[in-house]
Amino acid sequence: MTHTITVIRGDGIGPEIMDATLLVLEAMNLGLVYEEADAGLVALEKHGELLPQATIDSIGKNRVALKSPLTTPVGGGFSSINVELRRRFDLYANVRPATSFPNTRSRFAEGVDLITVRENTEGAYSAEGQETAADGSSATSITRTTRKGSERIVRYAFELARRTGRKKVTVVHKANILKSTSGLFLNVAREVAAQYPDIECNEMIVDNTCMQLVMRPEQFDVIVTTNLFGDIISDLCAGLVGGLGLAPGANIGADAAIFEAVHGSAPDIAGKGIANPCALLLGAAQMLDHLGMPDKATRLREAIVATLAARDSLTPDLGGEGNTMAFAKAIASRAA
């Protein structure tokens, strides 16, 4: 079956890591068809808007997109193009794996293999009721948590654990203090967890979670939490395994999914050909899982691991002297 993928090359190093990623995917002979669309600064320059309707239409039609980092200008418009895409397509589940890799600048060269499942559409990032007093003396923002949003993200986490053979889901909250919003999330999580007796469930307050992740990350399997906590925790987890250059992300909804590198557009190194494409490649592996090609996704991940282990053409951030395309070719040769 042929799948058409909306490809967003993005800003800064985005086009370079997308070229590298598509080179590897083409070497794997997956039968994918790519439809290019613009977003971010390049879209603003070409079309006069950060997120053109043509891009929205392409994602809606194809239902799957692979996206490089985007830059949201300071000032008017969206608070974040990424947040706007999640809102437009109701991409309620943000899925961020963190896995130990060989030959990385990490405190945990082995033992970390966890997934953070973050609610992606509610909470502190919904931008409801944001208001600043006229004299600048105070500011207010509404944080809204719903039963529907809590139930579907917790159920997604348990279904993910069951589907991938994982044994435990940790529900992360702050219900001891935020008794209304975080309390609702925790209560709903308990109700959902009771429907999955085959999956161990434990609860952990968010500050303790951060401490435990730094001390003993191997105790975690799947973490599920709310929007703001998930944003912080998933970046912490990336730091455990070598940084955002090895951190992919999937944004999943009922009708569409967007896969991405979660790092920024790094304009300071754009055009130098030294960007690490691993995060976007790992996002592409998540995409292959989503498209029903888990064997191909595994092959891609194994090729990345083998290339890191061999220190073959590694980019400077990984301690090597290679460039983006040489690194990609080394991975492609193992994934083909």
Side-chain angles (χ1 to χ4, degrees):
M1 181 178 178
T2 299
H3 298 279
T4 301
I5 310 300
T6 298
V7 168
I8 301 173
R9 291 184 174 272
D11 299 313
I13 61 171
E16 298 166 65
I17 62 172
M18 183 62 77
D19 285 343
T21 298
L22 295 183
L23 181 149
V24 175
L25 294 179
E26 287 295 300
M28 296 178 69
N29 194 27
L30 300 168
L32 301 177
V33 176
Y34 306 111
E35 181 177 286
E36 299 216 9
D38 295 321
L41 294 182
V42 66
L44 186 63
E45 184 176 328
K46 289 170 63 176
H47 309 288
E49 50 188 332
L50 292 168
L51 187 58
Q53 185 62 44
T55 301
I56 296 168
D57 292 343
S58 176
I59 297 170
K61 176 186 67 175
N62 297 326
R63 303 183 63 175
V64 177
L66 184 63
K67 182 183 73 64
S68 278
L70 302 173
T71 299
T72 301
V74 176
F78 310 127
S79 60
S80 162
I81 305 171
N82 291 328
V83 170
E84 179 64 15
L85 283 167
R86 294 165 191 167
R87 187 192 67 80
R88 290 283 184 111
F89 293 102
D90 194 23
L91 306 176
Y92 67 90
N94 182 269
V95 184
R96 292 270 301 268
T99 307
S100 296
F101 292 99
N103 289 327
T104 58
R105 294 171 175 173
S106 166
R107 294 187 180 274
F108 295 93
E110 58 183 25
V112 179
D113 181 14
L114 61 87
I115 301 174
T116 301
V117 178
R118 163 192 171 192
E119 202 292 316
N120 218 16
T121 60
E122 296 187 343
Y125 289 3
S126 63
E128 291 189 51
Q130 292 204 32
E131 183 178 304
T132 303
D135 63 358
S137 61
S138 66
T140 303
S141 178
I142 296 172
T143 298
R144 188 182 305 279
T145 298
T146 69
R147 171 169 288 274
K148 174 186 174 181
S150 300
E151 180 176 356
R152 67 180 181 175
I153 194 62
V154 175
R155 190 172 302 282
Y156 185 96
F158 275 91
E159 289 290 334
L160 175 65
R162 180 178 282 174
R163 185 172 67 249
T164 57
R166 291 179 178 266
K167 304 301 183 184
K168 181 170 71 171
V169 173
T170 300
V171 178
V172 175
H173 64 92
K174 191 65 178 174
N176 57 322
I177 303 297
L178 305 175
K179 296 184 184 297
S180 57
T181 52
S182 207
L184 175 61
F185 177 78
L186 178 58
N187 288 335
V188 172
R190 288 169 175 168
E191 294 171 9
V192 174
Q195 301 169 32
Y196 294 85
D198 54 316
I199 306 293
E200 179 186 351
C201 178
N202 69 322
E203 303 166 4
M204 196 173 290
I205 295 172
V206 62
D207 29 345
N208 183 38
T209 302
C210 293
M211 181 179 71
Q212 294 295 330
L213 279 165
V214 172
M215 293 174 66
R216 291 195 306 114
E218 69 277 2
Q219 70 185 282
F220 294 94
D221 202 355
V222 175
I223 295 171
V224 63
T225 191
T226 51
N227 203 332
L228 176 59
F229 296 161
D231 189 14
I232 296 166
I233 286 171
S234 57
D235 273 21
L236 188 159
C237 292
L240 299 177
V241 298
L244 292 178
L246 295 163
N251 301 277
I252 310 290
D255 299 313
I258 299 177
F259 302 89
E260 62 186 356
V262 300
H263 57 69
S265 57
D268 56 319
I269 61 169
K272 296 182 179 180
I274 59 172
N276 174 6
C278 278
L280 190 58
L281 281 163
L282 291 165
Q286 288 183 286
M287 180 183 74
L288 296 180
D289 278 326
H290 181 76
L291 292 173
M293 295 187 273
D295 55 331
K296 303 296 177 59
T298 297
R299 194 168 85 199
L300 176 52
R301 293 185 182 104
E302 288 176 347
I304 293 169
V305 170
T307 305
L308 289 168
R311 302 193 62 83
D312 190 352
S313 304
L314 301 187
T315 48
D317 66 301
L318 294 169
E321 298 180 357
N323 58 60
T324 305
M325 293 307 290
F327 189 27
K329 288 175 182 177
I331 295 169
S333 69
R334 294 175 170 89

